[in-house]
Amino acid sequence: MNTLLLRLKGPMQAWGVDSRYTTRSTQEYPSKSGVLGLLAAAQGRRRTDPLEDLAGLSFGVRTDQPGVLMRDFQTAQNWETGKSQPLSSRYYLADAIFVAGISGPERSLAPFREALARPRFPLYLGRRSCPVNPDLFIDVVDQELEIALRSVPWQASLHHRQSRSQKVHLPICRDANQDETGDQVQDVPLSFDSAHRQYGWRTVYTVLQEVDNPDSTARSDPFFEAVISS
């Protein structure tokens, strides 16, 4: 089993899985539907094209820098009629960095390397206002999903690393195995057709990866350390 690794970072990202009407939310980490949609765009797939091959791939993401939740209050006007459009609130993650992994047979992942190098359509971090970073592609490795995510060095900025403790715990949220339980998320793309979008359910299992942080300049908290060691 091989794993395609992507670095997702930028001034803003948005990964909504339950947005409705005038409130466009984002979850705390990239969605499976959003990242698979990015790969589909790189290949030049149309919204009406079948997605069975993509939906069958395993997905996981490691949060290296969680970012800050931001709300953008938007107004709009119909340029033809001059009438005001409904007011909307859109949420984004600012200054966040993630490592995403897509796992499957080598033959299934091989086409994505070329597609990401020369994408057919523009690529976004969840929304059109959030273009991808130029160093998006990391590698394709011959490793299982969680092992591959753990193998990538911590991608956080120096400023973020300096503000953290000497040991940090990075959440890894991945598709659950059959014997694992977790959160239920309606996040498996079945159709991107604008007239009939469909998403299936998946179970998300979360583990923590402990990482040493030699760049830490944060003062230790004796009370916190006493509680942890007790």
Side-chain angles (χ1 to χ4, degrees), residues 41-102:
Q43 289 187 311
R45 299 194 190 197
R46 302 290 176 176
R47 288 187 175 273
T48 54
D49 289 345
L51 301 172
E52 288 82 0
D53 60 324
L54 291 178
L57 299 174
S58 297
F59 175 75
V61 60
R62 190 183 74 188
T63 301
D64 285 30
Q65 186 168 312
V68 178
L69 182 66
M70 295 186 64
R71 174 175 176 258
D72 183 23
F73 181 68
Q74 296 189 354
T75 63
Q77 189 177 54
N78 189 305
W79 67 273
E80 293 181 310
T81 65
K83 292 183 178 181
S84 297
Q85 301 292 97
L87 305 179
S88 66
S89 294
R90 302 196 176 204
Y91 291 86
Y92 298 86
L93 297 175
D95 198 29
I97 301 175
F98 305 96
V99 176
I102 302 93

Side-chain angles (χ1 to χ4, degrees), residues 4-172:
L4 168 68
L5 294 166
L6 301 176
R7 181 186 297 105
L8 307 173
K9 68 176 184 179
M12 292 196 301
Q13 307 183 37
W15 306 97
V17 296
D18 58 358
S19 296
R20 294 292 185 272
Y21 309 111
T22 58
T23 300
R24 313 293 297 199
S25 63
T26 178
Q27 64 177 11
E28 297 176 347
Y29 55 87
S31 61
K32 182 173 186 175
S33 56
V35 174
L36 293 183
L38 185 153
L39 296 179
Q43 289 187 311
R45 299 194 190 197
R46 302 290 176 176
R47 288 187 175 273
T48 54
D49 289 345
L51 301 172
E52 288 82 0
D53 60 324
L54 291 178
L57 299 174
S58 297
F59 175 75
V61 60
R62 190 183 74 188
T63 301
D64 285 30
Q65 186 168 312
V68 178
L69 182 66
M70 295 186 64
R71 174 175 176 258
D72 183 23
F73 181 68
Q74 296 189 354
T75 63
Q77 189 177 54
N78 189 305
W79 67 273
E80 293 181 310
T81 65
K83 292 183 178 181
S84 297
Q85 301 292 97
L87 305 179
S88 66
S89 294
R90 302 196 176 204
Y91 291 86
Y92 298 86
L93 297 175
D95 198 29
I97 301 175
F98 305 96
V99 176
I102 302 93
S103 184
E106 181 180 4
R107 64 181 181 278
S108 299
L109 300 180
F112 296 131
R113 184 192 294 265
E114 178 67 21
L116 291 169
R118 297 176 178 81
R120 295 285 302 277
F121 296 135
L123 307 182
Y124 312 108
L125 299 176
R127 292 198 189 124
R128 294 180 182 178
S129 57
C130 308
V132 299
N133 43 296
D135 56 348
L136 171 69
F137 178 76
I138 297 178
D139 201 359
V140 176
V141 296
D142 185 13
Q143 293 176 328
E144 297 288 341
L145 178 61
E146 185 177 328
I147 296 174
L149 288 171
R150 290 178 178 274
S151 70
V152 179
W154 191 20
Q155 299 295 301
S157 66
L158 176 60
H159 175 74
H160 181 82
R161 298 197 305 270
Q162 289 175 335
S163 68
R164 303 297 155 176
S165 60
Q166 295 181 354
K167 287 189 181 294
V168 297
H169 295 87
L170 308 180
I172 296 177

